Amino acid sequence: MTSQELAKEAAGAADDKKAQNIIILDVHHLTPVADCFVICSANSGTQVEAVSKAVREKMEAAGTPCHATEGLAEARWVLMDFGDVVVHVFRREEREFYNLERLWGDAVEVPYSVS
């Protein structure tokens, strides 16, 4: 699978847990850290945890293990590193504060439709 296809898998898992405002950013030309970022919002810490768990399970089922996870204990901003794809699961307030979409404003948004 390409990194964009993997990002869409992660986005689909987040959508299955009712994550909101899911976007995929192609950042491969901006940073060597990853090819794609998946960014989504959740309404509560419990939902952040559920979305993160679903994404991890879906990505591992696709043969892409999670190399590192940060922020799960606080469940306000969880960052999951799948190599070429980095997933950010935010509580809404945290997402508004950090505004990664603005920070990575030169990234190309990958079309993704939610269910």
Side-chain angles (χ1 to χ4, degrees):
M1 273 189 192
T2 68
S3 54
Q4 285 192 10
E5 290 169 336
L6 287 170
K8 289 177 182 180
E9 288 289 315
D15 183 48
D16 288 346
K17 293 298 179 185
K18 308 296 186 223
Q20 300 163 344
N21 197 14
I22 302 167
I23 65 166
I24 300 171
L25 297 178
D26 182 339
V27 296
H28 84 274
H29 61 288
L30 300 173
T31 180
V33 172
D35 289 343
C36 293
F37 288 165
V38 177
I39 304 171
C40 64
S41 301
N43 291 320
S44 67
T46 302
Q47 188 182 19
V48 168
E49 292 170 1
V51 169
S52 299
K53 180 180 177 185
V55 168
R56 177 187 292 271
E57 289 173 355
K58 183 104 175 215
M59 295 294 276
E60 288 178 352
T64 305
C66 187
H67 302 295
T69 301
E70 296 289 333
L72 198 53
E74 297 83 18
R76 300 194 64 75
W77 173 6
V78 175
L79 182 144
M80 304 172 71
D81 178 4
F82 294 97
D84 292 337
V85 176
V86 174
V87 178
H88 301 269
V89 183
F90 284 99
R91 295 252 334 241
R92 187 177 331 215
E93 317 81 64
E94 303 296 321
R95 184 170 181 179
E96 289 172 6
F97 180 80
Y98 290 103
N99 199 357
L100 292 186
E101 293 92 327
R102 183 180 53 80
L103 181 66
W104 295 97
D106 292 336
V108 175
E109 189 167 343
V110 176
Y112 170 77
S113 60
V114 294
S115 61

